[in-house]
Amino acid sequence: MLRRRTHNAGDGKDMIKQDRSARNVEYFDLTGQYESLRADILTLVDRVMASGRYTQGEEVERFEVAFARYCSVPYAVAVNSGTSALHLVLLALGIDEQSEVIVPALTFKATAASVCYCGAKPVFVDIDPARYTLDPMRLEAAISPRTCAIIPVHLYGQAAKMDEISDIARKHGLPVIEDVAQAHGGSFMQKKLGSFGVAGCFSFYPSKNLGTFGEGGAIITSDVGLYEELKKLRSWGNSERCRSFPGGNFRMAEIQAAVLNVKLGYLDSWNRERRHYAQLYRSLLQGETSGSLMLPAEYDDSEHVYHVYAVRHRRRDELRQALEKRGVGTAVHYAKPVPAESCFGSAARASQLFPVAAALAETELSLPLYPGMGEANLRRVAVALKSELVA
Ligand SMILES: *Cc1c(COP(=O)(O)O)cnc(C)c1O
């Protein structure tokens, strides 16, 4: 970094630039992806702008057909965000002020917030210590006479134990709504995630495995009644199931659907690339770390799509800072369990009631992993990480 001081000469500037690009690895970067798709996307966006129809038109319909087929289900309903997808399914199922809905204690808080939007109460269940998804062993104890639905989350791209969760739900006559916001294209027992429950809810926030250049979401289902209900609800329609709901606008913009129509064709190859990088991290980091670093678990029963490459370390915050100094960007998903947030509960109670989620929140570190990042960058992350672990 001494070079920085002598940067008045033209040569010096170039060296600094080189030096930075050679060393820094961003946690996430979408600009490369746009460069590679630019021509296709601009053509479609231009067509949308010229068509005079800007929301919920032909591109949205085309995307719904394509996405339903991709997930091997009959129906898909495109909406304006993943949170809306969850909210609308809960409304369509008649979830109201009397209801409780079971959600995992560690997820992005939208899962639990969508329950609150219906006036219902989220009931938290701790996560499995290795899979990090809703723990089926703790599920039954959380079911009460008020329970109306269960929302497992395929966290980080890892499939929840859908066989055991579905068995318990069936035994109690409860619908399962899958939160697939982090697992587009992932599968469990060769079946696409989102197609196990009565509905699967997706987010197309830009950083997700399939993303818009803005906001978006979708619901997939095999239930024609639910499908009809959702189509009404997303655009100010009323529903028999939720009479107190005044209606609202949850439509997807045409431009975003056009972007998704281009990107859906790449989802499988992007997920393969993610899995390849995860393999590479494993081969570079395994064993080297004398047990202080925990790598994500992989199971034969499912296909992890690595929305997040989540490792664990006891001194996570220190490690994160040290990596930042070495030019490696990282993230934390998530710094606390959802029931530790003040609107859901308290931190002290949450760590008592949900020890597994609390331990993950204290130790989780997300390493850079995204399509187009390149093996050289990934190796740079691994080298930086290993030097810190021996330091
Ligand atoms: C991103 C995300 C959502 C919310 O999606 P938005 O499109 O941001 O509303 C919900 N659940 C999980 C698990 C997510 O990761």
Side-chain angles (χ1 to χ4, degrees):
M1 291 294 107
L2 283 174
R3 268 184 221 139
R4 235 173 235 187
R5 264 189 236 147
T6 59
H7 86 321
N8 25 2
D11 285 347
K13 267 187 195 161
D14 284 351
M15 278 180 73
I16 289 163
K17 218 170 158 190
Q18 260 180 16
D19 186 54
R20 276 204 198 143
S21 59
R23 277 172 169 230
N24 284 14
V25 186
E26 307 290 335
Y27 174 65
F28 184 68
D29 182 11
L30 269 173
T31 55
Q33 189 194 74
Y34 179 60
E35 283 312 316
S36 68
L37 303 177
R38 185 177 209 138
D40 287 354
I41 285 178
L42 286 182
T43 305
L44 268 180
V45 166
D46 185 54
R47 200 163 86 191
V48 169
M49 299 309 273
S51 78
R53 177 101 201 237
Y54 304 121
T55 191
Q56 211 174 285
E58 271 175 34
E59 291 293 335
V60 167
E61 267 171 44
R62 217 148 63 81
F63 175 68
E64 288 174 337
V65 170
F67 194 61
R69 185 174 305 145
Y70 176 83
C71 297
S72 304
V73 295
Y75 311 108
V77 178
V79 292
N80 59 351
S81 76
T83 309
S84 298
L86 291 161
H87 183 189
L88 292 188
V89 169
L90 291 168
L91 285 175
L93 292 176
I95 304 298
D96 62 16
E97 292 77 4
Q98 315 301 316
S99 315
E100 291 178 359
V101 176
I102 293 176
V103 298
L106 201 91
T107 172
F108 180 57
K109 66 178 171 186
T111 318
S114 67
V115 175
C116 302
Y117 298 158
C118 301
K121 183 185 168 203
V123 171
F124 297 95
V125 167
D126 211 348
I127 53 170
D128 177 284
R131 257 186 135 95
Y132 307 150
T133 53
L134 192 136
D135 189 348
M137 309 258 278
R138 299 163 199 261
L139 175 54
E140 241 172 338
I143 295 174
S144 86
R146 290 188 166 215
T147 307
C148 291
I150 302 165
I151 313 184
V153 179
H154 306 299
L155 195 73
Y156 308 150
Q158 174 84 281
K161 277 287 239 170
M162 289 314 297
D163 49 351
E164 292 174 33
I165 292 169
S166 305
D167 283 348
I168 295 167
R170 203 172 304 117
K171 185 173 142 196
H172 293 267
L174 292 170
V176 173
I177 303 160
E178 295 172 72
D179 183 337
V180 207
Q182 302 189 2
H184 316 63
S187 61
F188 182 74
M189 292 172 157
Q190 326 284 348
K191 199 166 132 72
K192 277 277 184 324
L193 297 177
S195 66
F196 287 83
V198 63
C201 297
F202 293 83
S203 162
F204 304 121
Y205 182 74
S207 67
K208 310 286 173 159
N209 288 30
L210 178 63
T212 54
F213 291 134
E215 306 284 347
I219 302 137
I220 59 168
T221 184
S222 301
D223 181 324
V224 65
L226 181 63
Y227 171 64
E228 295 298 342
E229 215 54 24
L230 290 169
K231 280 204 299 185
K232 280 190 270 176
L233 279 169
R234 80 169 148 184
S235 185
W236 288 107
N238 299 105
S239 163
E240 288 300 305
R241 300 298 303 274
C242 44
R243 286 172 195 279
S244 62
F245 182 64
N249 163 20
F250 304 94
R251 294 182 297 260
M252 177 182 276
E254 278 286 276
I255 283 183
Q256 302 307 344
V259 168
L260 291 171
N261 280 327
V262 173
K263 288 197 184 185
L264 181 58
Y266 296 89
L267 177 57
D268 283 341
S269 69
W270 287 335
N271 279 343
R272 274 196 296 277
E273 194 178 340
R274 284 176 185 272
R275 288 171 58 76
H276 170 71
Y277 289 149
Q279 257 357 88
L280 193 55
Y281 265 137
R282 181 174 301 283
S283 68
L284 293 169
L285 297 173
Q286 197 157 260
E288 289 285 337
T289 52
S290 59
S292 65
L293 190 78
M294 193 170 153
L295 302 180
E298 267 213 39
Y299 296 92
D300 289 340
D301 62 19
S302 51
E303 192 155 292
H304 198 317
V305 289
Y306 292 100
H307 173 61
V308 170
Y309 192 81
V311 302
R312 295 176 72 169
H313 194 272
R314 250 180 315 118
R315 291 178 293 112
R316 185 263 319 273
D317 294 333
E318 268 172 65
L319 187 57
R320 195 173 179 210
Q321 267 178 355
L323 287 172
E324 187 69 45
K325 282 204 187 110
R326 288 178 184 266
V328 172
T330 58
V332 169
H333 298 94
Y334 297 92
K336 38 182 165 166
V338 185
E341 305 252 0
S342 54
C343 62
F344 295 111
S346 79
R349 251 176 79 77
S351 53
Q352 219 169 39
L353 294 174
F354 313 104
V356 184
L360 183 60
E362 266 175 29
T363 54
E364 192 274 345
L365 182 69
S366 311
L367 301 183
L369 191 163
Y370 57 89
M373 80 174 278
E375 287 192 9
N377 276 329
L378 189 143
R379 286 178 198 279
R380 245 170 244 147
V381 177
V383 166
L385 188 57
K386 281 198 270 190
S387 336
E388 283 307 324
L389 290 172
V390 294

